[in-house]
């Protein structure tokens, strides 16, 4: 490529890439500090209102302690950062609540700036060993020569046998603390790139989904092929290169044996003596490495599934037919407008009127509350008040009994049952709720039973906590019911 093409390509990258746009923003230090503090650590996602509150507190501190120009409100800054692509707004599990998280551009900018503040050594023994091992493994795994493959495996087995022999002799070759810290930090450096990869994969899925929807609107061979594939159950998003790459990562991450082994290894690493030299944040990242990967992977998988299901519904419900017809009309209109522009000056008046929807804006001080009493119909009929019905005491008692337990009736029934039993014998006897209901049926159904048990609990006594009795009543529809209750007894008159 020529130097001019390279220059134009870099110019387009500088103008359009979100990470570079963030770095050259007027308040780049504030944006980087705020986003890193609230969304770049343990917390990756926050409700929009919560982030706005946190940013408001940050702005107050910055205005007090620095000379930075920050004239706008926290909500305005959050909206601006979302429009510029520094934040991504997504729906949450809670209804009517949306969340903010960092975009791939913001993550890239933060990683670049942190790399300048705390540069990581690239030419380390750990990274060179990783590169050498990867090269040797790639060469071996792609070699079709049987003898060379066999020779390589025999060399590995010999090295393993030698290591086992040393262990049998009690010789343990433990990695020194400096090398161990190098490898641990290399692991974390690689893992820090994964969240940005997840966001990039999600953006790829969005672009593929938009391309598929746009292709379906065109009446060509590609559109026919996509429709045929969707009807046949083909998942174009999952089978795309980003989809296949992500599914390989996701499938490996969901292997329970592998994840358990890796988590156990991480726990062992954090228990080693060299791990005490790691920062608290680094230990936290290592401990939650797999959990973070799984959480973000499921989010990306849900996005891929939603796009695939939405595309299938779009095709099966024939929604594309209506939009295809609308696109055809728009294309025809544009073609006619181009022909007209070739023969008609742009300044020529046209005898046409286009009514646009609009709303009249007025200051809030001129708003008036609506008073329905000011608007009366000319043919309004006078509504005569209906005479109030006459209610007797029995009517009032019936209304009350429909919503309240008739405690007075139950008290009278208990006292009457006690009096009847005592008249029939010279001994001072007691009665139970079941005996009361045998003489005086439950006029309010189960409500009478509940009220009677309540009186027994308050003014009676429990005969034996292990003894029970059966109470019976009849519902309004004639259905006979029964229930088992603890055996209480009334031994004296009860009162309201």
């Amino acid at each position: 490529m020529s130097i001019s093409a390279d220059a134009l390509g870099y110019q387009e990258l500088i103008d359009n890439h979100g990470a570079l746009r963030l770095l050259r923003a007027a308040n780049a230090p504030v944006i980087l500090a705020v986003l890193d503090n609230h969304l770049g650590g343990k917390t990756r996602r926050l409700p929009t209102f919560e982030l706005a509150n946190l940013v408001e507190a940050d702005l107050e501190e910055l205005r007090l302690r620095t000379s930075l120009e920050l004239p706008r409100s926290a909500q305005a800054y959050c909206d601006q950062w979302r429009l510029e692509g520094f934040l991504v707004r997504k729906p949450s599990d809670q209804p009517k609540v949306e969340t903010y998280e960092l975009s791939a551009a913001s993550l890239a900018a933060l990683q670049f700036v942190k790399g300048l503040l705390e540069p990581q050594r690239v030419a380390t023994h750990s990274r060179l060993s990783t590169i050498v091992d990867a090269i040797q493994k790639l060469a071996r795994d792609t070699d079709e020569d049987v003898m060379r493959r066999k020779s390589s495996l025999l060399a590995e087995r010999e090295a393993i046998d030698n290591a086992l022999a040393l262990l049998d002799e009690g010789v343990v070759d433990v990695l020194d603390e400096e090398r161990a810290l190098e490898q641990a930090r290399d692991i974390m450096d690689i893992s820090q790139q994964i969240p940005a990869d997840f966001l990039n994969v999600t953006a790829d899925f969005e672009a593929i989904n938009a391309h598929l929807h746009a292709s379906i609107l065109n009446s060509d061979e590609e559109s026919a092929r996509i429709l045929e594939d969707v009807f046949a159950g083909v998942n174009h998003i999952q089978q795309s290169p980003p989809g296949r790459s992500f599914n390989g990562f996701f499938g490996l991450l969901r292997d329970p044996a592998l994840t358990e082994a890796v988590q156990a290894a991480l726990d062992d690493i954090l228990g080693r003596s060299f791990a005490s030299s790691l920062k608290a944040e680094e230990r936290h990242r290592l401990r939650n490495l797999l959990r973070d990967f799984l959480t973000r992977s499921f989010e990306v998988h849900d996005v891929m599934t939603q796009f695939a299901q939405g595309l299938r519904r779009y095709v099966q419900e024939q929604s594309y037919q209506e939009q295809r017809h609308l696109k055809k009309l728009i294309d025809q209109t544009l073609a006619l407008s181009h022909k007209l522009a070739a023969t008609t000056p742009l300044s020529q008046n046209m005898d046409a009127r286009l009514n646009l929807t609009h709303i009249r804006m007025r200051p809030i001080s001129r708003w008036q509350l609506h008073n329905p009493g000011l608007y009366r119909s000319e043919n309004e009929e006078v509504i005569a008040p209906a005479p109030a019905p006459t209610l007797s005491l029995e009517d009032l008692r019936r209304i009350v009994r429909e919503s309240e337990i008739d405690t007075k009736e139950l008290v009278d029934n208990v006292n009457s049952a006690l009096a009847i039993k005592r008249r029939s014998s010279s001994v001072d006897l007691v009665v139970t709720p079941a005996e009361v209901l045998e003489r005086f049926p439950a006029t309010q159904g189960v409500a009478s039973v509940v009220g009677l048990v309540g009186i027994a609990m308050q003014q009676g006594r429990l005969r034996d906590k292990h003894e029970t009795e059966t109470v019976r009543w009849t519902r309004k529809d004639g259905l006979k019911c029964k229930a088992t209750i603890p055996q209480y007894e009334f031994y004296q008159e009860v009162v309201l």
Side-chain angles (χ1 to χ4, degrees):
M1 295 178 65
S2 64
I3 190 68
S4 59
D6 290 341
L8 291 174
Y10 289 135
Q11 182 64 49
E12 183 179 0
L13 178 68
I14 292 172
D15 292 340
N16 298 326
H17 198 284
L20 299 175
R21 196 165 58 248
L22 191 157
L23 292 175
R24 68 170 183 268
N27 292 321
V30 174
I31 301 173
L32 291 168
V34 169
L35 297 186
D36 186 33
N37 272 275
H38 300 310
L39 296 173
K42 298 178 183 179
T43 303
R44 297 286 183 179
R45 179 179 296 179
L46 283 174
T48 54
F49 65 88
E50 186 174 340
L51 180 62
N53 292 336
L54 294 172
V55 174
E56 189 64 47
D58 294 337
L59 292 176
E60 292 179 4
E61 180 179 352
L62 289 168
R63 289 167 183 147
L64 181 65
R65 302 190 175 207
T66 69
S67 59
L68 296 173
E69 293 290 335
L70 300 168
R72 307 177 69 178
S73 66
Q75 186 62 56
Y77 280 120
C78 289
D79 292 339
Q80 178 188 356
W81 298 341
R82 179 185 62 81
L83 293 174
E84 293 181 355
F86 307 152
L87 287 173
V88 177
R89 186 172 64 188
K90 292 183 178 179
S92 69
D93 297 334
Q94 302 177 6
K96 298 182 180 180
V97 175
E98 292 182 320
T99 60
Y100 276 140
E101 64 181 57
L102 294 181
S103 65
S106 297
L107 284 173
L110 285 170
Q111 289 176 3
F112 175 73
V113 172
K114 289 181 178 180
L116 296 177
L117 291 174
E118 300 179 4
Q120 299 292 332
R121 289 184 298 165
V122 177
T124 62
H125 181 278
S126 170
R127 295 202 173 188
L128 181 59
S129 298
T130 302
I131 294 171
V132 170
D133 291 342
I135 292 173
Q136 292 177 343
K137 185 177 184 302
L138 178 61
R140 184 188 66 236
D141 293 345
T142 56
D143 192 357
E144 297 180 357
D145 189 285
V146 176
M147 296 307 298
R148 283 199 298 264
R149 292 287 293 270
K150 186 175 180 180
S151 176
S152 176
L153 292 173
L154 287 173
E156 286 186 13
R157 186 169 71 179
E158 183 180 359
I160 293 173
D161 291 338
N162 293 335
L164 290 173
L166 290 175
L167 290 176
D168 291 337
E169 296 174 3
V171 179
V172 181
D173 185 14
V174 180
L175 200 66
D176 63 83
E177 183 170 330
E178 184 177 355
R179 295 270 180 86
L181 286 172
E182 279 183 5
Q183 291 193 11
R185 291 194 168 109
D186 285 345
I187 293 171
M188 286 183 287
D189 288 343
I190 296 173
S191 67
Q192 281 183 328
Q193 301 173 13
I194 301 296
D197 288 343
F198 284 147
L199 292 175
N200 290 329
V201 170
T202 302
D204 290 340
F205 289 158
E206 292 175 352
I208 294 170
N209 184 60
H211 173 73
L212 290 171
H213 278 77
S215 299
I216 290 174
L217 295 180
N218 298 321
S219 302
D220 52 17
E221 293 182 2
E222 184 183 9
S223 173
R225 180 180 56 80
I226 294 174
L227 289 174
E228 183 179 353
D229 289 345
V230 173
F231 279 118
V234 177
N235 190 336
H236 278 269
I237 296 178
Q238 187 174 3
Q239 294 185 5
S240 64
R244 289 195 300 269
S245 177
F246 171 75
N247 280 332
F249 178 89
F250 189 56
L252 187 64
L253 198 60
R254 294 187 66 189
D255 184 352
L258 176 65
T259 53
E260 288 179 9
V262 173
Q263 188 61 52
L266 288 172
D267 294 338
D268 291 341
I269 290 172
L270 291 170
R272 302 283 190 262
S273 59
F274 78 89
S276 59
S277 300
L278 294 171
K279 299 178 183 178
E281 181 185 356
E282 293 174 330
R283 291 196 298 272
H284 175 81
R285 288 214 310 264
L286 272 179
R287 183 176 292 108
N288 297 284
L289 189 66
L290 282 181
R291 188 185 67 180
D292 293 341
F293 282 177
L294 274 172
T295 301
R296 302 302 293 267
S297 296
F298 275 110
E299 292 175 358
V300 177
H301 185 266
D302 289 343
V303 170
M304 181 175 64
T305 303
Q306 290 171 7
F307 283 154
Q309 292 175 348
L311 181 64
R312 188 171 183 82
R313 285 195 303 269
Y314 179 70
V315 172
Q316 290 180 339
E317 295 174 0
Q318 304 290 318
S319 301
Y320 70 94
Q321 296 282 15
E322 181 180 350
Q323 295 188 13
R324 181 180 286 180
H325 179 66
L326 180 61
K327 180 178 181 297
K328 182 179 178 181
L329 294 177
I330 293 174
D331 291 341
Q332 291 175 354
T333 304
L334 290 175
L336 292 174
S337 65
H338 284 302
K339 291 182 180 179
L340 184 62
T343 59
T344 306
L346 296 177
S347 59
Q348 180 175 340
N349 292 327
M350 300 179 63
D351 188 15
R353 182 177 180 83
L354 181 62
N355 294 321
L356 301 177
T357 58
H358 67 282
I359 182 171
R360 196 172 79 178
M361 303 297 294
R362 291 187 299 172
I364 194 171
S365 60
R366 297 183 60 187
W367 290 9
Q368 294 182 354
L369 295 178
H370 174 69
N371 184 1
L374 299 178
Y375 301 90
R376 302 176 62 89
S377 173
E378 297 179 358
N379 300 324
E380 183 177 359
E381 297 181 1
V382 178
I383 302 176
T390 303
L391 296 178
S392 63
L393 292 177
E394 286 299 321
D395 294 330
L396 294 174
R397 186 172 183 275
R398 186 184 70 255
I399 294 172
V400 171
R401 278 174 57 85
E402 290 177 356
S403 58
E404 301 288 343
I405 296 176
D406 194 344
T407 308
K408 182 178 183 307
E409 179 189 61
L410 297 176
V411 169
D412 293 341
N413 292 345
V414 172
N415 293 334
S416 299
L418 277 171
I420 293 172
K421 200 159 190 181
R422 289 172 180 172
R423 281 199 300 269
S424 63
S425 172
S426 59
V427 183
D428 187 18
L429 299 177
V430 297
V431 294
T432 65
E435 292 174 341
V436 174
L437 291 173
E438 286 179 3
R439 291 185 177 273
F440 304 98
T443 58
Q444 292 182 286
V446 69
S448 297
V449 178
V450 172
L452 192 60
V453 173
I455 296 173
M457 293 174 65
Q458 293 176 356
Q459 303 189 44
R461 63 190 177 194
L462 185 64
R463 180 177 294 178
D464 190 332
K465 64 180 182 179
H466 299 296
E467 293 186 14
T468 59
E469 66 174 352
T470 302
V471 293
R472 293 176 171 80
W473 70 93
T474 303
R475 295 191 341 187
K476 290 183 179 181
D477 57 5
L479 183 65
K480 296 185 179 299
C481 304
K482 64 179 181 179
T484 301
I485 62 172
Q487 193 173 57
Y488 287 91
E489 60 183 17
F490 297 102
Y491 59 91
Q492 60 182 5
E493 289 188 354
V494 297
V495 295
L496 285 174

